[in-house]
Amino acid sequence: MRIRLALLLALLLPFVVSIPPAHAAVGLRVSGTRILEANGNAFVMRGTSHAHTWYPTQTGSFAGIKSLGANTVRVVLSGGRWTANGASDVANVVSLCKQNKLICVLENHDTTGYGEQAGAYTLDQAVDYWISVKNSIVGQEDYVVLNIGNEPIGNNATTPGWTQATSAAITRLRSNGFQHLIMVDAPNWGQDWSFTMRDNASTVFAADPQRNTVFSVHMYGVFDTAAEVTSYMQAFQTAGLPLVIGEFGFDHSDGNPDEDTIMAQAQARGIGYLGWSWSGNSGGVEYLDQVTNFNVANLTPWGQRLFNGANGIAQTSVEATIYGGTTTPDTQAPTRPGTPTASEITSTGARLSWTASTDNRAVTGYDVFRGTTKLGSSATNSITLTGLTPQTAYSVTVVARDAAGNTSAASPAATFTTTSTPSSGCTSTYQTTNHWQGGFQGEVTIRCTSAVTGWRTVLTYPSGVNVSQAWSSTLSAAAPVFTFTNAAWNGSIPAGGSTTFGFIGSWSGTGTPPTPTVS
């Protein structure tokens, strides 16, 4: 018996080892809770979504998204609910992702809100679309993730069908030769408040013969507390299943998501996240735009938070090794900022602006110093300083910093002097009383609630303005700041009283002369 058994095993062994394991996959793949590249290197998605199907000409967005440090872009496509993105368009999208060294998550938006929103497609119809563009993405498994359908089921009674519909879609894709990492969205408009995806994810994962499926939850108003965010992420880690935050925002019509916890917990747990969305939002959620009018130089507050904030993309994103990315720490400092320019100077404040720095990854902010004392910080190349001391000379410099904590050399210094504190109980009101081409006449009325024996008013104009003549006052000019003090005969103003002075000015421009800042 022992000899026969050994012989039988020897005969069967070649057939046993020739059968590939069920989880064999090419390109990007799942391993436990992690996503790996083909070389076994862990890859954590850090990026945003781009609404390509509605803005197909905004192809510069791919470079803009990459320039802010992203390693992934989720691209909105349609198979016919909106203008269809055909095979050639999809191939171009993949090419743009590769040119900009971005992992490309392709998603079919047609399924959004199925069963609740008119015109929504089924997941089976989404698979039809993927089959129609198959030749554009087969062979791109190192670069492309296939997000079968966006938010495929709404909040109605069809939600329990999510498990069956998603499993069937995965099975059909695999039987048609797709070997990509597959991403599946949760029901309940992606937010899974019913926990249908959470509680049935293992069943769906087992339906994939390659065991190469990652689960995507969209975190908006349902996830408005740290406890909800943390609990949901922990459930998938406990189950040993991969999760990404496929969409999230800093605010939403259904509540205020806790984006700080989403980003912090994702970073701590090695979970990918993709913010919504680059630009072009409408229907009351325009505040979710990360840049204005697709302009990478015009980040919105949400864009600043996502890309440059704590646990943000610039700070945590690592480029895929398929593009030559590395986990080597960033040691390159930003370039030196330009010399600051001071304007809008008052007794306690001033506005500074300077030429922006550049960085090999991304500049995340600037600090303004007077000597070694930090006066303020800004995410952009301008700042309004407050809390300064009246009638004081300031020499300030600007230092840029990046997400890794590298700091630039200090900018050349800018000097300015704050004005004096306005007389107690007095206010100054300015008006233009006359103007002509290149010239104007101004008037200031000073009113005091308590008696004073002297007064002072400072008018700060934009550059290009000059004041050459004044009456009922003494003028001290250092354009663009013009200081008026009382004449010898009108310094005393009784309580409740007022006095007026005037002047003649010139400016380079047409139309109405500029209005000064009064202090």
Side-chain angles (χ1 to χ4, degrees), residues 139-199:
Q140 304 297 328
E141 291 84 359
D142 284 327
Y143 309 95
V144 170
V145 178
L146 200 160
N147 190 179
I148 304 179
N150 181 70
E151 301 179 358
I153 294 174
N155 291 322
N156 64 12
T158 64
T159 300
W162 175 88
T163 303
Q164 296 82 1
T166 303
S167 298
I170 294 171
T171 301
R172 189 169 166 224
L173 283 169
R174 296 300 187 210
S175 67
N176 276 275
F178 290 88
Q179 298 188 63
H180 304 74
L181 171 61
I182 290 175
M183 181 185 292
V184 296
D185 279 12
N188 309 127
W189 298 86
Q191 296 203 73
D192 202 29
W193 59 261
S194 64
F195 299 134
T196 300
M197 184 173 80
R198 185 198 68 180
D199 295 344

Side-chain angles (χ1 to χ4, degrees), residues 71-98:
N71 63 20
T72 305
V73 60
R74 181 170 176 258
V75 185
V76 178
L77 301 174
S78 175
R81 185 175 176 183
W82 295 277
T83 301
N85 303 104
S88 61
D89 189 15
V90 173
N92 187 52
V93 165
V94 174
S95 177
L96 287 165
C97 288
K98 293 169 72 173

Side-chain angles (χ1 to χ4, degrees), residues 402-453:
D402 64 17
N406 300 307
T407 56
S408 71
S411 71
T415 59
F416 63 91
T417 301
T418 53
T419 63
S420 63
T421 304
S423 301
S424 176
C426 295
T427 58
S428 299
T429 304
Y430 170 83
Q431 65 173 331
T432 300
T433 57
N434 193 13
H435 67 88
W436 52 92
Q437 180 63 43
F440 65 98
Q441 180 176 328
E443 182 179 275
V444 175
T445 300
I446 302 167
R447 293 182 174 85
C448 300
T449 56
S450 58
V452 297
T453 57

